[in-house]
Amino acid sequence: MITKADIQLVRSLADKQGRTQHNLFVAEGDKVVGEIVASRGWHIVRLFVMEGSAVRVPYAEVVTAKEMERMSSFKSVPRSLAVVEIPPRKLRPAEADELIIALDEVQDPGNLGTIIRTADWFGISRIVCTPTTADCWAPKVVQATMGALLRVEVCYGDLGEWLADAHKRGVATYATTLDGENIYDKQLTRGGVIVMGNEGRGVSPEVQRLVSQRLYIPPYPSDRQGSESLNVAIATALTCGEFRRR
């Protein structure tokens, strides 16, 4: 039987402080929860379901719609909710033949979730983030990834040090900037690091100094006066698509 303490624990995981304290995150909805249940290597601490949920396992705890509403952080009440242990993540060095996305202070959870889904679509298994990038275990990010977070390893750490090490290893590093070279004319390597920047400021000058090449996604036609820049999630998708097209 679910208790008031259970509900308080789940609610506390909506905040990063609570997730850090308990080393747990929340996944909501049959799509995401179902993928976690079917995946190996993920420790589900508690699993709550309502009548009619597509998630059916012996250890699931049946709750009422009112109880689920009290636990959920979304307006639309999900039919299933899982409390899951956050897996250990170690920031590993870049490899020359691997395509990696690096995020420099991408702060919108929706953008981060979309970028993780984009990485999964293009077969990119690693994303490296600055500590000030949105938390990938936040409920909105987990929901936006639609299960891609299970296949894409997201790590946080000192991006400057990591990029400097990548340069020493001979790994190609790219940043998308407004003063870069046309991505469609540029010769691109099969592997490397693609750095995407903050929604308002772009890639920071400190990080730009650590990349070897700058890329620009031009508007069409090239002299058209329109929006100042692309949304970072859309820019990431276009950039990854161009790398994979080559």
Side-chain angles (χ1 to χ4, degrees):
M1 181 178 178
I2 190 169
T3 67
K4 183 178 180 180
D6 293 331
I7 294 173
Q8 289 177 337
L9 171 62
V10 175
R11 294 289 296 178
S12 73
L13 302 179
D15 297 322
K16 187 173 182 178
Q17 182 179 351
R19 292 191 295 273
T20 301
Q21 178 185 348
H22 299 288
N23 197 44
L24 299 171
F25 74 95
V26 172
E28 301 186 41
D30 284 358
K31 164 67 177 173
V32 178
V33 173
E35 288 207 28
I36 293 175
V37 169
S39 300
R40 296 180 179 179
W42 294 81
H43 179 211
I44 299 175
V45 177
R46 301 286 294 272
L47 175 56
F48 304 101
V49 298
M50 287 168 49
E51 292 290 346
S53 170
V55 180
R56 298 178 182 177
V57 290
Y59 56 86
E61 304 170 57
V62 180
V63 297
T64 65
K66 186 66 176 178
E67 289 170 329
M68 185 67 83
E69 182 181 10
R70 290 176 65 190
M71 289 188 289
S72 175
S73 57
F74 298 117
K75 292 181 180 179
S76 180
V77 181
R79 290 192 177 275
S80 59
L81 182 152
V83 177
V84 189
E85 186 176 296
I86 296 175
R89 291 283 188 258
K90 185 177 181 180
L91 187 56
R92 298 177 284 112
E95 301 292 342
D97 60 348
E98 180 184 13
L99 191 60
I100 303 171
I101 297 172
L103 302 180
D104 183 16
E105 294 192 17
V106 172
Q107 297 178 330
D108 182 85
N111 283 336
L112 177 58
T114 302
I115 290 170
I116 294 171
R117 284 185 70 182
T118 297
D120 187 39
W121 181 261
F122 286 109
I124 298 171
S125 60
R126 272 210 290 166
I127 297 177
V128 175
C129 305
T130 56
T132 47
T133 293
D135 182 13
C136 69
W137 307 113
K140 287 184 179 179
V141 178
V142 175
Q143 181 75 9
T145 68
M146 296 300 287
L149 188 57
L150 307 182
R151 296 174 291 274
V152 178
E153 181 181 300
V154 182
C155 295
Y156 293 79
D158 190 318
L159 184 57
E161 286 186 8
W162 187 80
L163 284 170
D165 180 71
H167 179 72
K168 292 178 183 178
R169 291 169 173 270
V171 178
T173 53
Y174 303 86
T176 55
T177 66
L178 293 176
D179 62 351
E181 298 180 70
N182 189 324
I183 189 173
Y184 304 117
D185 297 332
K186 184 72 176 174
Q187 184 175 353
L188 305 175
T189 54
R190 181 179 180 84
V193 180
I194 304 168
V195 182
M196 308 300 298
N198 174 268
E199 290 85 349
R201 302 183 298 275
V203 179
S204 65
E206 295 78 14
V207 171
Q208 285 191 40
R209 286 194 287 269
L210 294 167
V211 301
S212 53
Q213 300 178 68
R214 301 182 186 185
L215 303 175
Y216 173 63
I217 303 171
Y220 184 85
S222 59
D223 59 348
R224 181 174 179 270
Q225 296 298 313
S227 300
E228 289 185 2
S229 62
L230 284 170
N231 168 275
V232 64
I234 293 174
T236 301
L238 290 171
T239 303
C240 291
E242 187 61 16
F243 269 83
R244 288 309 195 204
R245 187 183 71 85
R246 306 293 179 93

